[in-house]
Amino acid sequence: AQTVTQSQPEMSVQEAETVTLSCTYDTSESDYYLFWYKQPPSRQMILVIRQEAYKQQNATENRFSVNFQKAAKSFSLKISDSQLGDAAMYFCASHSWGKFQFGAGTQVVVTP
Amino acid sequence: EPEVTQTPSHQVTQMGQEVILRCVPISNHLYFYWYRQILGQKVEFLVSFYNNEISEKSEIFDDQFSVERPDGSNFTLKIRSTKLEDSAMYFCASSNQGSSYEQYFGPGTRLTVT
């Protein structure tokens, strides 16, 4: 069974600063994928970044980057140069063999 | 930009009634999913669907749930006899490369069971 843990219910960051969201996961599979999804107040889920477990290189997507530590089963998300539009709930998720598991989410608050 | 649409945006039903939640995935996508999110809780995977059959389903997706692609555009989730605990936001998603790749989510249908 897969489990995904996000230990930070809420993180606050000032505009233009950097915030890191933590995520740990547990899976017995060797082939899996990891995702960060953003859910703004509109509630529509938007993919932020995706990481293939077999790739050692950390995924990046503009201001968003991950620190993927496979041995530690850790998959943190760094948001650089935070913007007001980054305010949302962020979910970490794992996928293996067609099944998804989401974490409980971290609410990101961006202050001017 | 193409998007996933869901109707209705909000459905209120009485306990024991059947509901059908509708989704129109992005037109060239082949993989379809349903998720639910109970208010204030995490998103939970329900089911994935490909080639007119269920690919995977979670423990939540029991006999009261069913999915169907009745025509070339719609993807529906039916809940046969709703319970109070079925109250949640239900999200449909689709992808064109399988579930390991980006899924495009719809805006959700809020289901309230009274």
Side-chain angles (χ1 to χ4, degrees):
Chain A
Q2 302 175 77
T3 60
V4 177
T5 303
Q6 293 179 251
S7 58
Q8 305 153 316
E10 184 174 303
M11 293 288 283
S12 188
V13 61
Q14 280 195 315
E15 253 186 309
E17 296 297 307
T18 295
V19 64
T20 299
L21 312 183
S22 66
C23 171
T24 58
Y25 62 93
D26 192 13
T27 179
S28 55
E29 303 292 341
S30 57
D31 184 20
Y32 57 91
Y33 300 81
L34 299 166
F35 305 83
W36 278 97
Y37 276 91
K38 170 184 176 181
Q39 187 181 41
S42 66
R43 307 218 56 187
Q44 191 154 1
M45 303 272 285
I46 303 162
L47 178 68
V48 174
I49 203 161
R50 171 180 172 271
Q51 174 84 41
E52 293 138 321
Y54 63 85
K55 285 190 178 177
Q56 291 186 336
Q57 188 173 7
N58 290 324
T60 63
E61 196 69 45
N62 301 315
R63 298 182 294 107
F64 298 89
S65 61
V66 297
N67 183 6
F68 175 45
Q69 301 289 325
K70 191 171 182 178
K73 293 184 177 175
S74 168
F75 183 61
S76 61
L77 175 71
K78 184 168 80 171
I79 307 173
S80 305
D81 186 26
S82 297
Q83 300 174 359
L84 293 176
D86 295 333
M89 184 72 97
Y90 286 79
F91 292 97
C92 178
S94 70
H95 166 266
S96 184
W97 293 103
K99 291 190 178 178
F100 274 87
Q101 185 72 37
F102 282 80
T106 297
Q107 181 72 48
V108 170
V109 176
V110 182
T111 56
Chain B
E1 188 176 328
E3 58 183 21
V4 176
T5 59
Q6 289 184 244
T7 54
S9 57
H10 189 195
Q11 172 90 46
V12 182
T13 190
Q14 285 192 322
M15 194 168 56
Q17 295 296 305
E18 174 182 287
V19 293
I20 297 176
L21 309 183
R22 291 185 166 79
C23 168
V24 179
I26 294 173
S27 62
N28 63 341
H29 286 186
L30 301 175
Y31 302 83
F32 314 111
Y33 314 87
W34 282 103
Y35 297 84
R36 79 171 185 192
Q37 185 180 29
I38 296 169
L39 186 63
Q41 298 188 24
K42 64 182 178 183
V43 176
E44 299 172 295
F45 168 74
L46 293 178
V47 66
S48 60
F49 190 87
Y50 170 71
N51 201 26
N52 283 320
E53 59 183 29
I54 291 174
S55 307
E56 291 290 342
K57 59 182 181 179
S58 71
E59 301 76 20
I60 302 165
F61 194 88
D62 60 23
D63 291 343
Q64 68 159 155
F65 292 94
S66 62
V67 289
E68 197 177 33
R69 189 152 162 82
D71 53 43
S73 59
N74 289 284
F75 180 51
T76 62
L77 174 69
K78 183 192 291 186
I79 309 174
R80 259 179 272 283
S81 177
T82 51
K83 299 178 275 201
L84 293 176
E85 53 265 38
D86 293 328
S87 295
M89 196 77 162
Y90 287 81
F91 293 100
C92 171
S94 70
S95 68
N96 63 358
Q97 289 183 285
S99 48
S100 302
Y101 295 85
E102 179 171 5
Q103 295 183 26
Y104 293 80
F105 282 77
T109 291
R110 180 155 41 121
L111 176 65
T112 302
V113 182
T114 61

